[in-house]
Amino acid sequence: MENINESISTPPEQVIPQEVKPKTDKKSLILVLIIVVLFVLLLITGGLFAYKSGLLNNILNIQQQEDEDIEEEQLEDETSIMKTTFEGETISALVPDGWTVEEYYDGEGTESLVAGVTYEGFTGLKIKNGTKEVFSVRAVSGIGVIGCPMYAKFADYNPTHLADNQAMANEIDETMNITDYTTAQYVEFKWLDKTFRRIGTGYFYDDVPNNAFFEAPCMQGIVTFTGFKFVDSFGYESNAYFFGAVENVTEDELLMVDEILESMKLVN
């Protein structure tokens, strides 16, 4: 009988795997260090060159000059817009030095009232540059508007508003002249309770506020404001006024008038 112990094979010795550590590429590390050192040396060399050649000083001088120019422009702007507050009986406004605002009452300051009738209340306003009258507001009575003699059509006009005015003109057999301002450049500002657009010496205002359209009235150069009013000797109250700039006004004067009108507020 064979020896049982000898028939049992001896298991092979178990091999434990060893952790393999990645080899560090010393050449790559040295290359990276060399690149970093060269970059730092390049920055130092460039800085020294800029300093010695005066380039750095030139850059600093240019920046300093630009800062001084900005401060000078700001000072000029502050000097150019020196304003005082005009406080009248009806309105107040910010007025630049050399300019004045004058209010008129009881039939004064206008030539557009009916003769032989007395008036009480606010009847005129003038804006002057020195002694030169530039802009005026003048009380008017005794006029009526029929139809739509002139329609100002801006890019944001209301087609329904245009159609309604056209129908009104057709009803009285009147030609409605449409002036196309859809591509015109204009200055927009707020004057009391209305939004105005000015093209040269022409003024237009939005007669239907609080929507997406600009709907100018059919008659240019006449306006009504809440807070502007006068009464005639018959007890008839009115708030209609002619307004506009003089013929020989300059664009710079018009821009200043725009600012004065935009700053205007009712006293009461």
Side-chain angles (χ1 to χ4, degrees):
M1 178 181 234
E2 295 182 358
N3 192 328
I4 296 176
N5 292 333
E6 293 177 357
S7 64
I8 299 174
S9 60
T10 302
E13 183 178 357
Q14 186 175 3
V15 178
I16 300 174
Q18 298 295 321
E19 181 180 358
V20 179
K21 297 182 179 180
K23 295 181 178 181
T24 303
D25 191 345
K26 294 183 178 180
K27 292 183 178 180
S28 299
L29 181 59
I30 292 172
L31 181 60
V32 171
L33 290 174
I34 291 173
I35 292 173
V36 172
V37 171
L38 289 175
F39 181 75
V40 172
L41 289 174
L42 182 62
L43 289 177
I44 295 173
T45 303
L48 290 173
F49 174 78
Y51 177 79
K52 291 182 178 180
S53 64
L55 179 61
L56 183 60
N57 288 335
N58 290 339
I59 294 174
L60 294 176
N61 289 337
I62 291 173
Q63 183 61 47
Q64 182 180 1
Q65 185 63 46
E66 289 178 351
D67 293 340
E68 290 176 355
D69 290 342
I70 292 174
E71 291 177 359
E72 185 177 350
E73 290 176 1
Q74 291 175 345
L75 181 61
E76 289 177 356
D77 289 341
E78 292 174 357
T79 303
S80 64
I81 58 173
M82 291 293 292
K83 297 179 180 180
T84 57
T85 300
F86 166 78
E87 190 82 19
E89 295 181 31
T90 301
I91 62 97
S92 66
L94 293 177
V95 183
D97 287 346
W99 289 65
T100 56
V101 174
E102 299 175 357
E103 292 179 336
Y104 296 88
Y105 293 88
D106 304 337
E108 299 295 324
T110 180
E111 297 178 354
S112 303
L113 296 175
V114 177
V117 180
T118 58
Y119 297 88
E120 291 183 3
F122 179 73
T123 52
L125 180 145
K126 292 181 181 180
I127 298 176
K128 294 182 177 181
N129 180 10
T131 58
K132 174 186 175 182
E133 181 181 330
V134 177
F135 186 91
S136 65
V137 177
R138 308 173 305 280
V140 58
S141 65
I143 65 168
V145 179
I146 300 176
C148 188
M150 196 283 285
Y151 190 89
K153 180 182 178 183
F154 286 86
D156 50 352
Y157 80 102
N158 185 350
T160 301
H161 183 259
L162 174 59
D164 290 343
N165 282 283
Q166 183 65 69
M168 180 174 58
N170 293 339
E171 186 176 349
I172 61 175
D173 196 24
E174 180 187 70
T175 300
M176 183 174 76
N177 298 311
I178 301 176
T179 304
D180 191 348
Y181 294 114
T182 54
T183 60
Q185 298 293 318
Y186 55 81
V187 179
E188 183 171 295
F189 60 92
K190 188 91 172 187
W191 180 14
L192 295 177
D193 58 351
K194 301 183 187 299
T195 299
F196 280 77
R197 291 177 180 177
R198 180 179 60 79
I199 302 174
T201 56
Y203 291 85
F204 310 88
Y205 64 88
D206 189 0
D207 201 30
V208 187
N210 302 321
N211 61 26
F213 307 106
F214 190 88
E215 300 156 291
C218 289
M219 187 170 182
Q220 187 182 357
I222 188 169
V223 68
T224 61
F225 286 120
T226 301
F228 285 14
K229 63 181 181 179
F230 56 94
V231 180
D232 64 21
S233 53
F234 298 101
Y236 177 75
E237 183 177 289
S238 178
N239 63 345
Y241 296 81
F242 286 140
F243 74 98
V246 298
E247 293 183 358
N248 61 339
V249 66
T250 66
E251 180 62 24
D252 287 341
E253 288 174 326
L254 288 169
L255 290 171
M256 191 59 68
V257 170
D258 296 342
E259 293 184 14
I260 294 172
L261 296 178
E262 190 163 37
S263 72
M264 196 173 290
K265 297 179 180 179
L266 292 173
V267 173
N268 298 320

